PDB file of all heavy atoms in Angstrom:
ATOM      1  N   THR A   1       8.472  -2.819  15.455  1.00  0.00           N
ATOM      2  CA  THR A   1       8.882  -3.454  14.198  1.00  0.00           C
ATOM      3  C   THR A   1       9.267  -2.434  13.138  1.00  0.00           C
ATOM      4  O   THR A   1       9.959  -2.774  12.155  1.00  0.00           O
ATOM      5  CB  THR A   1       7.772  -4.376  13.625  1.00  0.00           C
ATOM      6  OG1 THR A   1       6.577  -3.575  13.476  1.00  0.00           O
ATOM      7  CG2 THR A   1       7.464  -5.494  14.608  1.00  0.00           C
ATOM      8  N   ASN A   2       8.812  -1.190  13.289  1.00  0.00           N
ATOM      9  CA  ASN A   2       9.082  -0.159  12.299  1.00  0.00           C
ATOM     10  C   ASN A   2      10.519   0.332  12.412  1.00  0.00           C
ATOM     11  O   ASN A   2      11.015   0.582  13.500  1.00  0.00           O
ATOM     12  CB  ASN A   2       8.099   1.009  12.467  1.00  0.00           C
ATOM     13  CG  ASN A   2       8.269   2.087  11.418  1.00  0.00           C
ATOM     14  OD1 ASN A   2       9.226   2.895  11.491  1.00  0.00           O
ATOM     15  ND2 ASN A   2       7.380   2.132  10.464  1.00  0.00           N
ATOM     16  N   ARG A   3      11.209   0.501  11.276  1.00  0.00           N
ATOM     17  CA  ARG A   3      12.616   0.913  11.266  1.00  0.00           C
ATOM     18  C   ARG A   3      12.811   2.318  10.727  1.00  0.00           C
ATOM     19  O   ARG A   3      13.971   2.770  10.696  1.00  0.00           O
ATOM     20  CB  ARG A   3      13.433  -0.093  10.406  1.00  0.00           C
ATOM     21  CG  ARG A   3      13.445  -1.516  10.934  1.00  0.00           C
ATOM     22  CD  ARG A   3      14.161  -1.631  12.264  1.00  0.00           C
ATOM     23  NE  ARG A   3      14.105  -2.981  12.802  1.00  0.00           N
ATOM     24  CZ  ARG A   3      13.184  -3.401  13.644  1.00  0.00           C
ATOM     25  NH1 ARG A   3      12.266  -2.578  14.076  1.00  0.00           N
ATOM     26  NH2 ARG A   3      13.215  -4.660  14.077  1.00  0.00           N
ATOM     27  N   SER A   4      11.752   2.978  10.349  1.00  0.00           N
ATOM     28  CA  SER A   4      11.953   4.312   9.724  1.00  0.00           C
ATOM     29  C   SER A   4      11.493   5.463  10.654  1.00  0.00           C
ATOM     30  O   SER A   4      12.039   6.572  10.488  1.00  0.00           O
ATOM     31  CB  SER A   4      11.146   4.394   8.412  1.00  0.00           C
ATOM     32  OG  SER A   4       9.763   4.222   8.666  1.00  0.00           O
ATOM     33  N   LEU A   5      10.570   5.226  11.570  1.00  0.00           N
ATOM     34  CA  LEU A   5       9.957   6.302  12.347  1.00  0.00           C
ATOM     35  C   LEU A   5      10.965   6.987  13.293  1.00  0.00           C
ATOM     36  O   LEU A   5      11.626   6.296  14.110  1.00  0.00           O
ATOM     37  CB  LEU A   5       8.756   5.819  13.143  1.00  0.00           C
ATOM     38  CG  LEU A   5       7.848   6.852  13.713  1.00  0.00           C
ATOM     39  CD1 LEU A   5       7.135   7.582  12.606  1.00  0.00           C
ATOM     40  CD2 LEU A   5       6.837   6.213  14.649  1.00  0.00           C
ATOM     41  N   MET A   6      11.119   8.310  13.198  1.00  0.00           N
ATOM     42  CA  MET A   6      12.050   9.057  14.005  1.00  0.00           C
ATOM     43  C   MET A   6      11.391  10.092  14.903  1.00  0.00           C
ATOM     44  O   MET A   6      11.951  10.534  15.894  1.00  0.00           O
ATOM     45  CB  MET A   6      13.121   9.702  13.146  1.00  0.00           C
ATOM     46  CG  MET A   6      14.016   8.713  12.461  1.00  0.00           C
ATOM     47  SD  MET A   6      15.435   9.523  11.593  1.00  0.00           S
ATOM     48  CE  MET A   6      14.569  10.366  10.263  1.00  0.00           C
ATOM     49  N   GLU A   7      10.166  10.554  14.524  1.00  0.00           N
ATOM     50  CA  GLU A   7       9.442  11.555  15.306  1.00  0.00           C
ATOM     51  C   GLU A   7       7.992  11.128  15.489  1.00  0.00           C
ATOM     52  O   GLU A   7       7.328  10.772  14.532  1.00  0.00           O
ATOM     53  CB  GLU A   7       9.497  12.915  14.611  1.00  0.00           C
ATOM     54  CG  GLU A   7      10.912  13.453  14.439  1.00  0.00           C
ATOM     55  CD  GLU A   7      10.970  14.909  13.956  1.00  0.00           C
ATOM     56  OE1 GLU A   7       9.908  15.571  13.952  1.00  0.00           O
ATOM     57  OE2 GLU A   7      12.043  15.329  13.486  1.00  0.00           O
ATOM     58  N   LEU A   8       7.532  11.153  16.755  1.00  0.00           N
ATOM     59  CA  LEU A   8       6.184  10.696  17.062  1.00  0.00           C
ATOM     60  C   LEU A   8       5.523  11.637  18.097  1.00  0.00           C
ATOM     61  O   LEU A   8       6.078  11.894  19.141  1.00  0.00           O
ATOM     62  CB  LEU A   8       6.243   9.274  17.649  1.00  0.00           C
ATOM     63  CG  LEU A   8       4.920   8.656  18.112  1.00  0.00           C
ATOM     64  CD1 LEU A   8       3.956   8.485  16.938  1.00  0.00           C
ATOM     65  CD2 LEU A   8       5.167   7.308  18.767  1.00  0.00           C
ATOM     66  N   ASP A   9       4.343  12.126  17.699  1.00  0.00           N
ATOM     67  CA  ASP A   9       3.581  12.998  18.621  1.00  0.00           C
ATOM     68  C   ASP A   9       2.310  12.302  19.071  1.00  0.00           C
ATOM     69  O   ASP A   9       1.393  12.029  18.269  1.00  0.00           O
ATOM     70  CB  ASP A   9       3.192  14.301  17.890  1.00  0.00           C
ATOM     71  CG  ASP A   9       2.611  15.320  18.837  1.00  0.00           C
ATOM     72  OD1 ASP A   9       2.365  15.011  20.034  1.00  0.00           O
ATOM     73  OD2 ASP A   9       2.385  16.479  18.408  1.00  0.00           O
ATOM     74  N   LEU A  10       2.255  11.919  20.363  1.00  0.00           N
ATOM     75  CA  LEU A  10       1.101  11.248  20.959  1.00  0.00           C
ATOM     76  C   LEU A  10       0.424  12.169  22.006  1.00  0.00           C
ATOM     77  O   LEU A  10      -0.366  11.701  22.811  1.00  0.00           O
ATOM     78  CB  LEU A  10       1.511   9.944  21.626  1.00  0.00           C
ATOM     79  CG  LEU A  10       2.052   8.838  20.699  1.00  0.00           C
ATOM     80  CD1 LEU A  10       2.537   7.664  21.505  1.00  0.00           C
ATOM     81  CD2 LEU A  10       1.012   8.449  19.675  1.00  0.00           C
ATOM     82  N   SER A  11       0.722  13.420  21.973  1.00  0.00           N
ATOM     83  CA  SER A  11       0.193  14.375  22.981  1.00  0.00           C
ATOM     84  C   SER A  11      -1.324  14.417  22.968  1.00  0.00           C
ATOM     85  O   SER A  11      -2.001  14.098  21.954  1.00  0.00           O
ATOM     86  CB  SER A  11       0.743  15.771  22.692  1.00  0.00           C
ATOM     87  OG  SER A  11       2.170  15.786  22.755  1.00  0.00           O
ATOM     88  N   VAL A  12      -1.891  14.842  24.153  1.00  0.00           N
ATOM     89  CA  VAL A  12      -3.341  15.060  24.300  1.00  0.00           C
ATOM     90  C   VAL A  12      -4.140  13.798  23.951  1.00  0.00           C
ATOM     91  O   VAL A  12      -5.196  13.848  23.384  1.00  0.00           O
ATOM     92  CB  VAL A  12      -3.802  16.259  23.475  1.00  0.00           C
ATOM     93  CG1 VAL A  12      -5.160  16.817  24.048  1.00  0.00           C
ATOM     94  CG2 VAL A  12      -2.827  17.389  23.434  1.00  0.00           C
ATOM     95  N   ASN A  13      -3.590  12.657  24.362  1.00  0.00           N
ATOM     96  CA  ASN A  13      -4.347  11.397  24.323  1.00  0.00           C
ATOM     97  C   ASN A  13      -4.342  10.822  25.742  1.00  0.00           C
ATOM     98  O   ASN A  13      -3.454  10.996  26.492  1.00  0.00           O
ATOM     99  CB  ASN A  13      -3.670  10.399  23.363  1.00  0.00           C
ATOM    100  CG  ASN A  13      -3.853  10.759  21.922  1.00  0.00           C
ATOM    101  OD1 ASN A  13      -4.985  10.749  21.375  1.00  0.00           O
ATOM    102  ND2 ASN A  13      -2.765  11.106  21.226  1.00  0.00           N
ATOM    103  N   LYS A  14      -5.414  10.090  26.101  1.00  0.00           N
ATOM    104  CA  LYS A  14      -5.561   9.590  27.439  1.00  0.00           C
ATOM    105  C   LYS A  14      -4.789   8.269  27.639  1.00  0.00           C
ATOM    106  O   LYS A  14      -5.356   7.236  27.883  1.00  0.00           O
ATOM    107  CB  LYS A  14      -7.047   9.411  27.758  1.00  0.00           C
ATOM    108  CG  LYS A  14      -7.806  10.714  27.767  1.00  0.00           C
ATOM    109  CD  LYS A  14      -9.303  10.496  28.053  1.00  0.00           C
ATOM    110  CE  LYS A  14     -10.051  11.815  28.046  1.00  0.00           C
ATOM    111  NZ  LYS A  14     -11.542  11.649  28.284  1.00  0.00           N
ATOM    112  N   LEU A  15      -3.488   8.386  27.584  1.00  0.00           N
ATOM    113  CA  LEU A  15      -2.666   7.205  27.718  1.00  0.00           C
ATOM    114  C   LEU A  15      -2.513   6.804  29.192  1.00  0.00           C
ATOM    115  O   LEU A  15      -2.560   5.611  29.540  1.00  0.00           O
ATOM    116  CB  LEU A  15      -1.250   7.467  27.148  1.00  0.00           C
ATOM    117  CG  LEU A  15      -1.206   7.691  25.609  1.00  0.00           C
ATOM    118  CD1 LEU A  15       0.201   8.031  25.199  1.00  0.00           C
ATOM    119  CD2 LEU A  15      -1.766   6.514  24.874  1.00  0.00           C
ATOM    120  N   GLY A  16      -2.314   7.791  30.086  1.00  0.00           N
ATOM    121  CA  GLY A  16      -2.087   7.489  31.471  1.00  0.00           C
ATOM    122  C   GLY A  16      -0.759   6.709  31.646  1.00  0.00           C
ATOM    123  O   GLY A  16      -0.042   6.466  30.681  1.00  0.00           O
ATOM    124  N   ASP A  17      -0.480   6.366  32.867  1.00  0.00           N
ATOM    125  CA  ASP A  17       0.803   5.653  33.160  1.00  0.00           C
ATOM    126  C   ASP A  17       0.856   4.317  32.434  1.00  0.00           C
ATOM    127  O   ASP A  17       1.909   3.906  31.931  1.00  0.00           O
ATOM    128  CB  ASP A  17       0.910   5.430  34.676  1.00  0.00           C
ATOM    129  CG  ASP A  17       1.200   6.727  35.423  1.00  0.00           C
ATOM    130  OD1 ASP A  17       1.655   7.677  34.780  1.00  0.00           O
ATOM    131  OD2 ASP A  17       0.945   6.774  36.627  1.00  0.00           O
ATOM    132  N   SER A  18      -0.290   3.604  32.337  1.00  0.00           N
ATOM    133  CA  SER A  18      -0.298   2.304  31.701  1.00  0.00           C
ATOM    134  C   SER A  18       0.006   2.414  30.212  1.00  0.00           C
ATOM    135  O   SER A  18       0.764   1.582  29.658  1.00  0.00           O
ATOM    136  CB  SER A  18      -1.647   1.618  31.936  1.00  0.00           C
ATOM    137  OG  SER A  18      -2.702   2.418  31.437  1.00  0.00           O
ATOM    138  N   GLY A  19      -0.564   3.431  29.541  1.00  0.00           N
ATOM    139  CA  GLY A  19      -0.270   3.605  28.111  1.00  0.00           C
ATOM    140  C   GLY A  19       1.203   4.032  27.877  1.00  0.00           C
ATOM    141  O   GLY A  19       1.812   3.542  26.942  1.00  0.00           O
ATOM    142  N   VAL A  20       1.677   4.908  28.735  1.00  0.00           N
ATOM    143  CA  VAL A  20       3.102   5.352  28.595  1.00  0.00           C
ATOM    144  C   VAL A  20       4.036   4.187  28.848  1.00  0.00           C
ATOM    145  O   VAL A  20       5.103   4.070  28.236  1.00  0.00           O
ATOM    146  CB  VAL A  20       3.398   6.527  29.552  1.00  0.00           C
ATOM    147  CG1 VAL A  20       4.884   6.856  29.529  1.00  0.00           C
ATOM    148  CG2 VAL A  20       2.604   7.755  29.140  1.00  0.00           C
ATOM    149  N   LYS A  21       3.637   3.278  29.727  1.00  0.00           N
ATOM    150  CA  LYS A  21       4.466   2.084  29.988  1.00  0.00           C
ATOM    151  C   LYS A  21       4.583   1.240  28.746  1.00  0.00           C
ATOM    152  O   LYS A  21       5.648   0.706  28.444  1.00  0.00           O
ATOM    153  CB  LYS A  21       3.826   1.259  31.111  1.00  0.00           C
ATOM    154  CG  LYS A  21       4.697   0.085  31.549  1.00  0.00           C
ATOM    155  CD  LYS A  21       4.118  -0.603  32.795  1.00  0.00           C
ATOM    156  CE  LYS A  21       5.027  -1.746  33.245  1.00  0.00           C
ATOM    157  NZ  LYS A  21       4.518  -2.402  34.498  1.00  0.00           N
ATOM    158  N   LEU A  22       3.490   1.148  27.971  1.00  0.00           N
ATOM    159  CA  LEU A  22       3.548   0.394  26.709  1.00  0.00           C
ATOM    160  C   LEU A  22       4.462   1.080  25.724  1.00  0.00           C
ATOM    161  O   LEU A  22       5.237   0.426  24.986  1.00  0.00           O
ATOM    162  CB  LEU A  22       2.138   0.265  26.149  1.00  0.00           C
ATOM    163  CG  LEU A  22       1.167  -0.625  26.945  1.00  0.00           C
ATOM    164  CD1 LEU A  22      -0.242  -0.503  26.399  1.00  0.00           C
ATOM    165  CD2 LEU A  22       1.633  -2.098  26.870  1.00  0.00           C
ATOM    166  N   VAL A  23       4.382   2.430  25.664  1.00  0.00           N
ATOM    167  CA  VAL A  23       5.286   3.181  24.787  1.00  0.00           C
ATOM    168  C   VAL A  23       6.742   2.919  25.196  1.00  0.00           C
ATOM    169  O   VAL A  23       7.603   2.715  24.316  1.00  0.00           O
ATOM    170  CB  VAL A  23       4.966   4.697  24.849  1.00  0.00           C
ATOM    171  CG1 VAL A  23       5.989   5.487  24.036  1.00  0.00           C
ATOM    172  CG2 VAL A  23       3.582   4.974  24.343  1.00  0.00           C
ATOM    173  N   SER A  24       6.980   2.875  26.478  1.00  0.00           N
ATOM    174  CA  SER A  24       8.317   2.639  27.001  1.00  0.00           C
ATOM    175  C   SER A  24       8.846   1.313  26.555  1.00  0.00           C
ATOM    176  O   SER A  24      10.048   1.170  26.218  1.00  0.00           O
ATOM    177  CB  SER A  24       8.322   2.719  28.527  1.00  0.00           C
ATOM    178  OG  SER A  24       7.809   3.956  28.991  1.00  0.00           O
ATOM    179  N   ALA A  25       7.973   0.326  26.495  1.00  0.00           N
ATOM    180  CA  ALA A  25       8.430  -1.024  26.063  1.00  0.00           C
ATOM    181  C   ALA A  25       8.977  -1.006  24.636  1.00  0.00           C
ATOM    182  O   ALA A  25       9.978  -1.644  24.314  1.00  0.00           O
ATOM    183  CB  ALA A  25       7.268  -1.998  26.197  1.00  0.00           C
ATOM    184  N   ALA A  26       8.279  -0.256  23.787  1.00  0.00           N
ATOM    185  CA  ALA A  26       8.771  -0.135  22.387  1.00  0.00           C
ATOM    186  C   ALA A  26      10.079   0.606  22.312  1.00  0.00           C
ATOM    187  O   ALA A  26      10.945   0.241  21.528  1.00  0.00           O
ATOM    188  CB  ALA A  26       7.698   0.552  21.562  1.00  0.00           C
ATOM    189  N   LEU A  27      10.245   1.593  23.160  1.00  0.00           N
ATOM    190  CA  LEU A  27      11.464   2.412  23.132  1.00  0.00           C
ATOM    191  C   LEU A  27      12.698   1.648  23.581  1.00  0.00           C
ATOM    192  O   LEU A  27      13.846   1.979  23.259  1.00  0.00           O
ATOM    193  CB  LEU A  27      11.288   3.633  24.008  1.00  0.00           C
ATOM    194  CG  LEU A  27      10.242   4.660  23.555  1.00  0.00           C
ATOM    195  CD1 LEU A  27      10.056   5.753  24.590  1.00  0.00           C
ATOM    196  CD2 LEU A  27      10.578   5.260  22.177  1.00  0.00           C
ATOM    197  N   ARG A  28      12.448   0.553  24.303  1.00  0.00           N
ATOM    198  CA  ARG A  28      13.565  -0.312  24.758  1.00  0.00           C
ATOM    199  C   ARG A  28      14.176  -1.130  23.612  1.00  0.00           C
ATOM    200  O   ARG A  28      15.308  -1.603  23.750  1.00  0.00           O
ATOM    201  CB  ARG A  28      13.091  -1.263  25.861  1.00  0.00           C
ATOM    202  CG  ARG A  28      12.933  -0.649  27.213  1.00  0.00           C
ATOM    203  CD  ARG A  28      12.792  -1.682  28.288  1.00  0.00           C
ATOM    204  NE  ARG A  28      12.730  -1.064  29.619  1.00  0.00           N
ATOM    205  CZ  ARG A  28      11.598  -0.702  30.184  1.00  0.00           C
ATOM    206  NH1 ARG A  28      10.434  -0.887  29.555  1.00  0.00           N
ATOM    207  NH2 ARG A  28      11.573  -0.135  31.382  1.00  0.00           N
ATOM    208  N   ASN A  29      13.389  -1.281  22.558  1.00  0.00           N
ATOM    209  CA  ASN A  29      13.907  -2.073  21.433  1.00  0.00           C
ATOM    210  C   ASN A  29      15.144  -1.368  20.840  1.00  0.00           C
ATOM    211  O   ASN A  29      15.053  -0.214  20.453  1.00  0.00           O
ATOM    212  CB  ASN A  29      12.815  -2.181  20.373  1.00  0.00           C
ATOM    213  CG  ASN A  29      13.157  -3.157  19.278  1.00  0.00           C
ATOM    214  OD1 ASN A  29      14.302  -3.200  18.793  1.00  0.00           O
ATOM    215  ND2 ASN A  29      12.195  -3.952  18.864  1.00  0.00           N
ATOM    216  N   PRO A  30      16.262  -2.107  20.742  1.00  0.00           N
ATOM    217  CA  PRO A  30      17.497  -1.465  20.221  1.00  0.00           C
ATOM    218  C   PRO A  30      17.357  -0.973  18.794  1.00  0.00           C
ATOM    219  O   PRO A  30      18.149  -0.150  18.347  1.00  0.00           O
ATOM    220  CB  PRO A  30      18.527  -2.604  20.316  1.00  0.00           C
ATOM    221  CG  PRO A  30      17.756  -3.855  20.483  1.00  0.00           C
ATOM    222  CD  PRO A  30      16.502  -3.486  21.175  1.00  0.00           C
ATOM    223  N   GLU A  31      16.368  -1.489  18.043  1.00  0.00           N
ATOM    224  CA  GLU A  31      16.144  -1.037  16.685  1.00  0.00           C
ATOM    225  C   GLU A  31      15.332   0.252  16.606  1.00  0.00           C
ATOM    226  O   GLU A  31      15.208   0.840  15.528  1.00  0.00           O
ATOM    227  CB  GLU A  31      15.384  -2.137  15.892  1.00  0.00           C
ATOM    228  CG  GLU A  31      16.140  -3.449  15.797  1.00  0.00           C
ATOM    229  CD  GLU A  31      17.451  -3.266  15.025  1.00  0.00           C
ATOM    230  OE1 GLU A  31      17.452  -2.539  14.031  1.00  0.00           O
ATOM    231  OE2 GLU A  31      18.469  -3.898  15.429  1.00  0.00           O
ATOM    232  N   CYS A  32      14.761   0.682  17.724  1.00  0.00           N
ATOM    233  CA  CYS A  32      13.927   1.894  17.741  1.00  0.00           C
ATOM    234  C   CYS A  32      14.803   3.146  17.451  1.00  0.00           C
ATOM    235  O   CYS A  32      15.826   3.351  18.037  1.00  0.00           O
ATOM    236  CB  CYS A  32      13.292   2.072  19.118  1.00  0.00           C
ATOM    237  SG  CYS A  32      12.240   3.502  19.219  1.00  0.00           S
ATOM    238  N   LYS A  33      14.327   3.906  16.456  1.00  0.00           N
ATOM    239  CA  LYS A  33      15.110   5.047  15.991  1.00  0.00           C
ATOM    240  C   LYS A  33      14.451   6.393  16.383  1.00  0.00           C
ATOM    241  O   LYS A  33      14.823   7.450  15.864  1.00  0.00           O
ATOM    242  CB  LYS A  33      15.208   5.023  14.474  1.00  0.00           C
ATOM    243  CG  LYS A  33      15.894   3.769  13.905  1.00  0.00           C
ATOM    244  CD  LYS A  33      17.367   3.747  14.308  1.00  0.00           C
ATOM    245  CE  LYS A  33      18.120   2.637  13.571  1.00  0.00           C
ATOM    246  NZ  LYS A  33      17.654   1.282  13.872  1.00  0.00           N
ATOM    247  N   ILE A  34      13.540   6.383  17.357  1.00  0.00           N
ATOM    248  CA  ILE A  34      12.824   7.609  17.743  1.00  0.00           C
ATOM    249  C   ILE A  34      13.826   8.665  18.225  1.00  0.00           C
ATOM    250  O   ILE A  34      14.591   8.425  19.156  1.00  0.00           O
ATOM    251  CB  ILE A  34      11.794   7.357  18.843  1.00  0.00           C
ATOM    252  CG1 ILE A  34      10.682   6.419  18.350  1.00  0.00           C
ATOM    253  CG2 ILE A  34      11.212   8.638  19.368  1.00  0.00           C
ATOM    254  CD1 ILE A  34       9.752   7.078  17.356  1.00  0.00           C
ATOM    255  N   GLN A  35      13.776   9.832  17.618  1.00  0.00           N
ATOM    256  CA  GLN A  35      14.617  10.977  17.984  1.00  0.00           C
ATOM    257  C   GLN A  35      13.862  12.060  18.733  1.00  0.00           C
ATOM    258  O   GLN A  35      14.414  12.773  19.563  1.00  0.00           O
ATOM    259  CB  GLN A  35      15.291  11.566  16.760  1.00  0.00           C
ATOM    260  CG  GLN A  35      16.280  10.644  16.064  1.00  0.00           C
ATOM    261  CD  GLN A  35      16.905  11.242  14.863  1.00  0.00           C
ATOM    262  OE1 GLN A  35      16.639  12.396  14.510  1.00  0.00           O
ATOM    263  NE2 GLN A  35      17.735  10.489  14.181  1.00  0.00           N
ATOM    264  N   ARG A  36      12.571  12.203  18.389  1.00  0.00           N
ATOM    265  CA  ARG A  36      11.728  13.220  19.006  1.00  0.00           C
ATOM    266  C   ARG A  36      10.418  12.603  19.404  1.00  0.00           C
ATOM    267  O   ARG A  36       9.701  12.025  18.555  1.00  0.00           O
ATOM    268  CB  ARG A  36      11.528  14.388  18.032  1.00  0.00           C
ATOM    269  CG  ARG A  36      12.797  15.192  17.807  1.00  0.00           C
ATOM    270  CD  ARG A  36      12.637  16.361  16.841  1.00  0.00           C
ATOM    271  NE  ARG A  36      13.782  17.235  16.908  1.00  0.00           N
ATOM    272  CZ  ARG A  36      14.918  17.003  16.242  1.00  0.00           C
ATOM    273  NH1 ARG A  36      15.022  15.934  15.454  1.00  0.00           N
ATOM    274  NH2 ARG A  36      15.927  17.837  16.308  1.00  0.00           N
ATOM    275  N   LEU A  37      10.043  12.721  20.690  1.00  0.00           N
ATOM    276  CA  LEU A  37       8.845  12.134  21.248  1.00  0.00           C
ATOM    277  C   LEU A  37       8.081  13.162  22.013  1.00  0.00           C
ATOM    278  O   LEU A  37       8.594  13.781  22.945  1.00  0.00           O
ATOM    279  CB  LEU A  37       9.224  10.941  22.122  1.00  0.00           C
ATOM    280  CG  LEU A  37       8.108  10.223  22.844  1.00  0.00           C
ATOM    281  CD1 LEU A  37       7.192   9.563  21.845  1.00  0.00           C
ATOM    282  CD2 LEU A  37       8.675   9.144  23.815  1.00  0.00           C
TER     283      LEU A  37
END
C-alpha cells in the first residue's frame, strides 16, 4: 500500500524462503516503487 518507499534493507533476518515469498508478493504490485532491495 505504500507509494513512497524506494529502498529497503531486510538483510540478516530469518525470513527463509517463506518470508521471501511474502516479500515477492508485494513486489508484484504494479504500484511498488522499490529500486534497491
Side-chain angles (χ1 to χ4, degrees):
T1 57
N2 183 284
R3 298 292 177 267
S4 61
L5 196 65
M6 294 188 291
E7 298 188 14
L8 178 62
D9 189 354
L10 296 177
S11 300
V12 202
N13 287 295
K14 296 179 181 178
L15 296 176
D17 290 339
S18 56
V20 173
K21 186 173 183 177
L22 291 170
V23 175
S24 302
L27 296 174
R28 282 194 177 89
N29 189 317
E31 298 297 321
C32 180
K33 300 294 191 296
I34 296 289
Q35 295 179 1
R36 290 179 169 83
L37 177 64

